[in-house]
Amino acid sequence: MRQKYVTPATVLVVAVVLVVIAAFASIRDGSNADSHEHEHDDMQSHDSSHHDDDKSLSDEPSGVIKDGERVIEVRARQFEFDPNSIVVRKGETVRLEITSEDVTHGFNLEGHDIDRELKPNQTETITFVPEKSGRFQFRCSVYCGRGHTDMNGELIVIEQDG
Ligand code: CUA
C-alpha cells in the first residue's frame, strides 16, 4: 500500500524542484534588466537642471524699458493675474498696464499704498517707484466671483545691482 503513494510523491517533489529552478532562472533574468535603473538616473539629472531654470527666471526683471520706465503689461481675469509674478528693480520707475478681460477686478499692492479698480476691457496705468527690496503680495480687491480670494500674485523687488 505504501509503495503506491511513494511514486506520486516523488513526482510531486520533482515538479516542485522544477518550479523552483524555473523561478530561480526568471529571477536571474530580471537582474539582467539593468537598463531600467539607468532610466531612473536620467530622470534625476533632468530634475536637477530644473533648479537652474527657476533661478534665472526669478532674477530676470519683467517687462520692457520704455522712455526710462519699466513697463509691464498685466492681464486680469477670473480668477488670476497674468503674469502673477512680477520682478522689478529697486529705485526704478515701474509702470503697470493692467487690463481686465472680463469683469471689474481690483489691484491692491501690499506696502505701496496702491489700490486701483480695474474696469472691464479697460487698461489702468499704475506708476510707482519701489523703495524697498523684498516680496510684496498683490491681490484682487473687488469681489469678482467664487475665485476672488485666489486671485493674487507677488511683486519681487530686487536690488539695483542684482
Ligand atoms: Cu478679481 Cu476679485
Side-chain angles (χ1 to χ4, degrees), residues 105 140 142-144 148 151:
H105 298 281
C140 181
V142 173
Y143 182 78
C144 53
H148 163 71
M151 192 171 164

Side-chain angles (χ1 to χ4, degrees), residues 20-138:
V20 168
I21 288 170
F24 193 74
S26 73
I27 287 169
R28 281 173 53 171
D29 284 348
S31 71
N32 285 340
D34 277 356
S35 57
H36 289 299
E37 288 174 33
H38 287 302
E39 284 173 25
H40 286 300
D41 289 344
D42 287 346
M43 283 170 68
Q44 278 170 350
S45 63
H46 284 308
D47 284 346
S48 61
S49 66
H50 279 300
H51 292 296
D52 297 335
D53 293 343
D54 290 346
K55 198 184 173 211
S56 58
L57 270 178
S58 61
D59 286 342
E60 195 63 36
S62 310
V64 295
I65 298 293
K66 209 187 283 178
D67 302 329
E69 299 178 343
R70 180 170 300 284
V71 179
I72 302 154
E73 292 182 12
V74 181
R75 303 266 150 185
R77 67 179 82 95
Q78 289 168 314
F79 296 97
E80 62 178 357
F81 291 102
D82 177 19
N84 63 8
S85 178
I86 298 171
V87 182
V88 300
R89 291 190 200 281
K90 186 172 91 174
E92 70 183 354
T93 301
V94 174
R95 197 165 92 215
L96 301 179
E97 296 184 342
I98 312 181
T99 307
S100 169
E101 294 184 338
D102 39 37
V103 301
T104 298
H105 298 281
F107 183 84
N108 177 286
L109 177 58
E110 169 194 29
H112 290 78
D113 196 28
I114 291 169
D115 191 355
R116 194 75 65 85
E117 197 175 81
L118 310 170
K119 294 208 171 69
N121 303 309
Q122 286 185 30
T123 300
E124 275 293 318
T125 299
I126 301 173
T127 304
F128 66 99
V129 178
E131 310 278 5
K132 279 192 292 186
S133 60
R135 292 166 177 266
F136 304 90
Q137 303 299 309
F138 56 81

Side-chain angles (χ1 to χ4, degrees), residues 11-26:
V11 169
L12 187 68
V13 166
V14 170
V16 167
V17 167
L18 286 174
V19 167
V20 168
I21 288 170
F24 193 74
S26 73

